[in-house]
Structures are given as C-alpha cells and as structure tokens.
Amino acid sequence: MCGHCCSAPSLDQVPASLIPCLDSKVTMEAGGLPLELWRMILAYLHLPDLGRCSLVCRAWYELILSLDSTRWRQLCLGCTECRHPNWPNQPDVEPESWREAFKQHYLASKTWTKNALDLESSVCFSLFRRRRERRTLSVGPGHEFDSLGSALAMASLYDRIVLFPGVYEEQGEIILKVPVEIVGHGKLGEVALLASIDQHCSTTRLCNLVFMPAWFSPFMFKTTSGHVQFDNCNFENGHIQVHGPGTCQVKFCTFKNTHVFLHNVPLCVLENCEFVGSENNSVTVEGHPSADKNWAYKYLLGLIKSSPSVLPTEDSDSLMSLDLESRDQAWSPRTCDIVIEGSQSPTSPVSSSPKPGSKTGSQEAEVGSDGERVAQTPDSSDGGLSPGGEDEDEDQLTYRLSYQVQGPRPVLGGSFLGPPLPGASIQLPSCLVLNSLQQELQRDKEAMALASSIQGCLIRKCLFRDGKGGVFVCSYGRAKMEGNIFRNLTYAVRCIHNSKIVMLRNDVHRCRAAGIFLRLEGGGLIAGNNIYHNAEAGVDIRKKANPLILCNQIHHGLRSGIVVLGNGKGIIRNNQIFSNKEAGIYILYHGNPVVSGNHIFKGRAAGIAVNENGKGLITENVIRENQWGGVDIRRGGVPVLRSNLICFGYSDGVVVGDEGRGLIEGNTIYANKGCGVWMMSSSLPHVTSNHISYNGLYGVAVFSQKEGSGEFPGGHGVQENFSEDGDAILWETELEKDDDPLRRPVTTALVESNSINHNGASGLYVQSSEALHVVTNVIHANGDRGITVAQSSQLTRVANNSISCNRQSGVKVEAQCKVELRGNGIYDNRGHGIITKGDSTVVVENDIIGNRGSGLQLLPRSDTKVIKNRIHSFRAYGIAVRGRAKALVQENIIFQGKTNKTIFQQISNNRECIMQNNKVLVFKKKCDTWRLVNPPARPHLENSLRGPTAAHSGQKVTAMASRITARVEGGYHSNRSIFCTIL
C-alpha cells in the first residue's frame, strides 16, 4: 500500500478551473445509489484511484473528501512509513483531518527529492533529456544483493534500496556518494542496520530501519553539507551528527540512548519523535546557524510554514492594565469646624461640613464614613477612663468636623476597600485577569518576532522521557521547541553561552533538577508552557541570562517556581505561579528580573522572596493566599515593589527581615491574616503610598531584633544549595556594581504617605532600637490604637499624619521611648488622643480634636513637651496629668468640651508640670462656632508629598534565598513575623 502512496497524484495538483470542465453528467445519481453506498464502495480504492475519482466533478471531489474518518484514516494508519499523526504525545487523540495529516506526511516524505531537476549541469540538454526511471535494488538473503555496501556500489541517482528483514552489519564505514533512498521492508524492527554512514552527497532518505552503531564507531550517521531525511526509524545507543550547512528532517523516529548533535545547522526539523533513556543530552544544538545554506533550506522553511503550528493566532481582545493614580492627586486639603450646639446626645463627628446651628439625621448617619459606630470604653492601660457614672444632663453639647479621611488611592481603584467576607470565594476585578498569550504577543512585537522566528533547530511534538537531559543549546546556538513533552529527566532544557531558545506550549514535568535552565547570557522566549512537579525550580536563571518568560503555568514544584540568581535578569510577565513548595519566585545573588503582571498564589512559602543582595522591579502582580509572607525581603535584598495586590495571605503581606531594604510603593496589601507590613527598622526599607487594610494584626509592624537573630528554632538552618557544576562561589567575582542612579539612598527606615486602615490591631506598631520616620500617613479605623510605640531607644518621628477613628487611643507611647509628634491631625479616636509614658516625648503643633478620652493623657514618670497644639476632648479633659509626670505645656489652644468638665486636670502637688502661655476657649452661647484656621486643620499634606522615588523600568534587583520555616508566634506583640523566620 505504501508503494501506491508514493506514486499517487497529489489532490492539490488539480487546478480548480478544470473541475467545472469535467463531464458533470457522470454523477453519483447516475447509478441510482445513495451516498452511503458510494462511500462504502470507494472505501476499497487505493490512493491513485481516489485521486482519479476526485477529478471527475466537484460532487465526486467532495465525496472523496467526506471519507476522512474511514478510508483516509485507513490509508494514514496503514502506511509503514509513518505513524499516528499525534504520536508519541497523544496517540489516542484523532487529528482534525486524517486526509490533511496524510497529505502533510506525503509532502514531507518528498522533500529529499526536490533538487532532482538541478543535477543536470546543462540547461540546453535539460530541455530534451528523458527522465530516468528510478530503480529498486533489493538487499537480503535470496535477493539481488547480500549487503548494503554492495547495493550502494551499483546504485544510481535517486535509486531505491529495499532491505528485507534481517540484521545487516557493515564492517567498514559506508560513504554515500549519490542520492539514494534506503527503506526497510516489513514492520519496523524487522530490519536492523549496524553501520556507520557518512553522507557526501546532496540528499538521502532513510526509512523504516533500526540503526545501531558499528563496532568501530559510535556514530551511526553523519553529514556536513547535504540534506538527510529520516522517517519511522529507531536509533539505539549511538550518535547522529549534522554539521552546517547540512540540514536534516526527522519524523516518527525513536531515539533510545542516542545523542543527536547539531553543529552550526541553518535549519533542522525534528518532529513527532521519541527520545528515551539518554545518558547525556538527547539533542545538542551548538554554534550560531551557518550563513551558508544548502538547497534544502528553502524547502524545509516552506514546509514548516505550511504545516499547522502551535503559535497562537492574533487576538483583537483589548488589553487591560492597572491604573495607579498619582499620589499627588490623591490628597486633598481639609477644613475643620467645631460647631457647638445644644439639646443633643454625644455622637461621633460627621464627615460633611454643616452650617452652624444645623442638625439633620443624614448628617448623624455619616459618622466616621468607615461604618464603625462601636461605643467602646478605652482599656485601663490607657489611663482608666470611664465615661459612665458622671453627672450628665440631657442638654449636652456636640461638635461636627468637616474633614474627610484621605490617602493614597489603592491600585485597584476601590475594588478592595470593603471588609472581606468570611468563606467567600476570591473574585478579582476584570482589570486583574491575566491576558492570553495571543494578547501578550500582540502587545509585545519583539515577543511576536521571537515566537515567529525559525532558525537553527525546530523540535516539534516530540517526547523526551526517562533520561538525563532533553535539549542542550550552547555557544550561540538557536533552537525552537513547540508542543513537546519533557518528563522524568534530570533537566528538560539548558541554554547557555549567548544561545537563544523559543519554547511554546511545552509540558515540562517531573525533572530531577530544574526544568528549564539558562545561564551565561542565554535568552529567548519561554511562553505558554506547563511546568510542574519538578524537584528544583521550574525555571532557573543565572549568570546574566536574560529570557522573556510569558504566560506560563509554573506550579506544584518541590522547590521554587522561578529562581533568578548570579546576575541573572529576565522579564517574568503574565504567568500563573502557584502551589509551589517554596517561594513562587526567588531572587538572590544579584539577580535582577522585571516581574510584572503575574498571579502568584497558594504557595506553601512566600510568594516572592528577595535575599542576599537581590534586586528587581516587581510590579502589578497579584500575590495571594500564600502560606508565608506575600513578599519576603531579607539579607541585602533591595527590590522595587510597586503597584502589586498582596492579599489573603495566611501570614504577613510584606516581610522586610534582617538587612532587607528596598522601595515598597503603591501596593494594595489587603486581608492578610498577619500584619500588612512586618519589617525591621535596621533594614532601612522605604514604605510609601501603599493601601494597607483589613489585615488580621498590625497594619505596619516595625521591630528591631539584632540579638539572637542568627539562632533559629528546630535546627533547620541549612542553606539551599543553588550551585551547579560546583561554581556557586564564583558568582561573587562577577557581581555587578550597585550603581543605579535612580535609587535614592535611605539612611532611616521610612513609612510615608500610606493609607493604613481597618486592620485588626494597631495601625502602626513600633518596637525598635533604631530611628524611624512616620510621615504623611492616613491611619484610620484600626482595631486597636492608631500608633503604638512600645520601644524606641532612638527617635521615632511621627509627622504630618492623619490618625482618626481608631478603636483605642490615637497614639500611645510606652515608657523609655523617644518620640516626636509634629503636625499630626488626631481626630475622633475612641480612646485618648495621645497617651504617653515616654521619658522623652515631644508633642508639637498637632490638632488633637474630638477624641472620646482626654486629648492628652500624661502618665506617671513621663517627660513630655506639649507645645503649640490645638486640643479638644469631646467628653473628658483636654490635658490630663496623672501622678508624678513631668511636662512643659506651652502655647497651646485648648477648647472646652463640656460645661461640667474642666479643661485641664493636674495633680495639685506636681511642681514638675509647667503651664505657660496657653489659650483656653470656653463657649459662651450655644451658637458659638470655633474654626481651625491660621493654620487650617492638620495635617498639612500638600507640601509634604514626594514624587516617585524610582524609575518604572530598568531597575536592578538582587538577593539570596535561604530556606524558610514556618513559625507561629503567640499573639501579635511578638517581635517576629508571625509565620516567617529566615533560616
């Protein structure tokens, strides 16, 4: 049957213009037979007869095409020169068209003869020459020739040599001097050839053979300039070698412990092949593609372009991007009115600006704008205030403040402003849905050019399994891999020494090391792949490798999803990285990728870890539901973390550990069970313009833990071994200098211009022995105090913040703390405005208005300077001094809160409390209105804001990753991140 296939006319050779001219009277109805019966009859025809029938008329042509699932399927599967079209990866899946699959194989099988007409040197004689018929030479017992060598000695151009079943062992090297076709007769495996073949002719084809190396050479076949075509062959325990400008075309072949070496090839095609049990690399592509190209290059290129590809088609879907508003536009100045009215019960301040003397139910309903109306008594640790039990008449006074709490707008434009619903599934807004690969390629023309390029070696629909290595590309080599499966290997693909790879829609899984490994300035495009269950990283990037990693699924790895180290770079965009045992992305040893638009979720460790001088631009990612910190920065890591959504983590949102640094800007950190941001002040991070809300513990927690920081529980302090070929230490000699002029140096930990609201504990908790600046933040409606300073041996500067509507006091300063409070607006907190035990507290030029407790509570043994503040308490004292407190109260404006309350409470025998030049305002009639003017209500933010501190592109990023172990600390007053302790 296969012989008939080769002599049959191609169906596409019939011009469409001739079909209407055929005798249309000869139709299927002429015999009066139904179509089903005609199909049954035609199912017995051979391929040449089917071709003739298709020429009768259009109706017959369409009838022949309708035999796709019957006769065409039989012809395709019955041909000994090919296998199932989806072998070896999906042999149980039928192709879209059996006829089309058969046609593609037929055309491919004829590529080796395309130069036949070019052999005659004379153009004139070629017009009159007669076409020589191809001879068939038979080799085997009882046939014309006993050995392949003797048949080749008698062969002419394009003769066909048929080897009948048996084992043929050649004792010397076979040199192919003329183009021939060598075919095994019978089923695959019945003809075995033990030989070393060296091709010196322009073209040859070998089919249906089992190749084994001869006793004197491991090379089974090699060529340097010609074209070789292998169809339906098996290769065992040897080598295949092709040097440029030579080319090869390999289809439906099995390689068992066989190494294919391609050196400087302009174009080679390996399609529908199986590579099994290799002791080294299965395929090696070395050297830049040769500029010299043989005759077959253009035909191979045309064949590739005409065959179906896994490259996605262009999609016109619109692209969606995150819209981060400018921080300067997010703030608005505020005015503050204190309106004294009678005949009302005490309420919280409203957020709108009422006219003096007006009161409406709608204004009452706008209290706080955060939905909290909890009438909670401040705890005894804040001074023991008890609003009940005092004589209060019904004719009480109230006030209204017209301010609105404002802060940096979240990245998502309000999508994550409400409280999370327990047990509800996570619904991301449409702007955060990942783009398809088609959309990304349409958006990135450089990526599209890479995906469409064909150069070097094309490996398509192959299976690599149960061996050491898959594909090794080195020394400026070029390789493209489409739709392959790599499984149970040591590694799938290695790309080194300035080589480039393109990987599209491959399956890479169960590798014993990293799945895809790039180093020494290797690069290319890795897109649309499924990378999972690998023992090491799914993708390993090091030593200045710079790939584009796009739209992949990288999941269920036994270590990390992606590792970038040793000056590795790269763009990691629009991937799904999930359920990995360690960090979704590790950046270390001066790794410096751009990580953008990825979904990193459900990891068993951190979402992204940046360690050991790692850098990087990490922007617009969704990092959610990870067991440890969403982003973990330690040990010299200095990334730029900008405009990410970090949410629903089982620990903290962002962890900045020992010696971690970097810029954390414009992120939405939402509904994590631990802290929003947990950091060590010694690490000198810059936390700015983030929206930190609805986290289970603190919004921002700042600790200092130098002592004992090198001891870790459980004895798990074993560092990860990221070395390969024993060269881990050599990276240090190649490290790039940190010469980024756009990165502003930070000498003090800085928490600036953040919106910190609705967190379970204090908005900001400080337990630090280093200096800290807290500037221009909005700290609102947190479940405990606004700011708690538990330890501060060096100065903690709190300036120009809005601290409002927190469930306890606005600010609490513990004993032996040094704190400066300047220019803050402290409004409507449910405890005291400020309560201090500190031995060096400076309270200067603040507006402390409308808090449920006293404006200021100075506790025993505190030392406080209270200068030029405006103070008002709704129910209690403006300033309350308890015990032997030392204080200087000077040049303050204190508003009366109630008729029966004094404005200032002081222990009579306390001579260390000095009052000087304070102004006390007492209302005279119910229509009095007090306004905060000259200056207007604090904080004054318009002059305090800073522009972006780092460029949005080209940022470097570095860090070394260590193993991380989970550690649950009791309560939220621990000085460790609740789950993360670096080992």
Side-chain angles (χ1 to χ4, degrees), residues 565-601:
L565 65 157
N567 283 326
K569 300 179 182 179
I571 298 174
I572 304 170
R573 191 173 77 226
N574 211 67
N575 302 279
Q576 291 189 64
I577 304 171
F578 60 95
S579 298
N580 295 287
K581 190 173 182 179
E582 296 182 4
I585 299 176
Y586 255 143
I587 306 172
L588 54 149
Y589 287 132
H590 292 255
N592 185 20
V594 176
V595 182
S596 64
N598 303 281
H599 285 202
I600 305 170
F601 58 98

Side-chain angles (χ1 to χ4, degrees), residues 560 564-566 582-583 585-592 606 608-616 618 628 631-639 655-661 719-720 722 732 957-964 980-983:
S560 302
V564 186
L565 65 157
E582 296 182 4
I585 299 176
Y586 255 143
I587 306 172
L588 54 149
Y589 287 132
H590 292 255
N592 185 20
I608 299 177
V610 186
N611 296 280
E612 294 295 341
N613 302 311
K615 298 181 181 179
I618 302 170
W628 297 355
V631 178
D632 192 296
I633 306 168
R634 301 174 189 262
R635 297 184 180 180
V638 56
V655 175
V656 186
D658 188 26
E659 299 180 13
R661 302 182 66 182
Q719 288 196 348
E720 292 192 17
F722 285 100
E732 297 300 328
V957 192
T958 62
M960 166 189 155
S962 299
R963 287 186 182 271
I964 296 180
C980 289
T981 301
I982 196 74
L983 295 188

Side-chain angles (χ1 to χ4, degrees), residues 315-336:
D315 197 323
S316 59
D317 292 343
S318 60
L319 301 175
M320 299 181 181
S321 60
L322 299 178
D323 183 15
L324 177 60
E325 296 288 347
S326 170
R327 173 169 46 167
D328 298 331
Q329 299 175 355
W331 297 87
S332 62
R334 70 179 74 160
T335 60
C336 181

Side-chain angles (χ1 to χ4, degrees), residues 198-496:
D198 189 356
Q199 177 186 349
H200 290 182
C201 58
S202 60
T203 181
T204 192
R205 178 176 184 250
L206 300 103
C207 177
N208 205 39
L209 299 170
V210 175
F211 284 88
M212 298 180 186
W215 61 271
F216 55 87
S217 173
F219 287 95
M220 295 178 287
F221 192 96
K222 55 186 177 180
T223 183
T224 56
S225 60
H227 172 72
V228 59
Q229 181 170 334
F230 295 103
D231 289 319
N232 197 36
C233 292
N234 286 356
F235 299 86
E236 298 180 6
N237 304 312
H239 302 297
I240 306 294
Q241 181 173 285
V242 180
H243 279 257
T247 57
C248 71
Q249 180 183 356
V250 185
K251 195 166 184 179
F252 298 118
C253 292
T254 298
F255 297 83
K256 296 180 180 178
N257 190 27
T258 299
H259 180 206
V260 179
F261 182 80
L262 308 174
H263 182 78
N264 294 114
V265 293
L267 186 59
C268 284
V269 180
L270 281 69
E271 193 169 10
N272 293 95
C273 293
E274 182 180 26
F275 296 83
V276 185
S278 63
E279 295 179 356
N280 206 322
N281 313 303
S282 294
V283 178
T284 296
V285 183
E286 181 181 16
H288 194 277
S290 172
D292 296 330
K293 299 176 176 61
N294 65 14
W295 66 268
Y297 177 84
K298 62 180 180 180
Y299 295 105
L300 284 178
L301 198 61
L303 183 67
I304 293 169
K305 292 181 178 180
S306 65
S307 61
S309 172
V310 299
L311 182 65
T313 57
E314 291 190 4
D315 197 323
S316 59
D317 292 343
S318 60
L319 301 175
M320 299 181 181
S321 60
L322 299 178
D323 183 15
L324 177 60
E325 296 288 347
S326 170
R327 173 169 46 167
D328 298 331
Q329 299 175 355
W331 297 87
S332 62
R334 70 179 74 160
T335 60
C336 181
D337 297 345
I338 300 178
V339 181
I340 303 300
E341 296 188 80
S343 303
Q344 288 193 27
S345 61
T347 61
S348 298
V350 299
S351 58
S352 59
S353 300
K355 296 180 181 179
S358 66
K359 62 175 184 177
T360 64
S362 61
Q363 289 173 334
E364 294 285 334
E366 294 175 5
V367 174
S369 74
D370 60 346
E372 289 193 358
R373 285 178 166 270
V374 180
Q376 179 172 330
T377 301
D379 57 17
S380 59
S381 64
D382 283 11
L385 177 68
S386 178
E390 301 184 13
D391 294 332
E392 300 181 5
D393 34 41
E394 294 298 326
D395 190 17
Q396 293 183 2
L397 304 176
T398 187
Y399 66 94
R400 290 187 177 88
L401 303 180
S402 62
Y403 70 90
Q404 294 180 348
V405 176
Q406 302 252 355
R409 294 184 182 179
V411 176
L412 307 180
S415 299
F416 281 82
L417 291 181
L421 299 177
S425 60
I426 299 173
Q427 298 293 332
L428 295 176
S430 59
C431 63
L432 294 180
V433 175
L434 288 173
N435 292 330
S436 65
L437 180 56
Q438 294 93 325
Q439 290 173 314
E440 284 295 319
L441 293 178
Q442 187 177 8
R443 164 186 170 186
D444 190 335
K445 300 304 180 184
E446 182 178 353
M448 177 63 83
L450 277 173
S452 304
S453 63
I454 302 172
Q455 194 178 24
C457 178
L458 172 63
I459 304 173
R460 185 161 58 181
K461 301 177 184 178
C462 293
L463 171 62
F464 296 80
R465 64 178 178 89
D466 304 322
K468 180 179 179 181
V471 179
F472 179 46
V473 188
C474 61
S475 302
Y476 297 88
R478 299 291 185 270
K480 183 174 183 178
M481 288 153 273
E482 297 182 352
N484 304 286
I485 294 177
F486 300 85
R487 72 165 186 254
N488 296 327
L489 305 167
T490 300
Y491 64 86
V493 178
R494 293 182 67 190
C495 177
I496 67 172

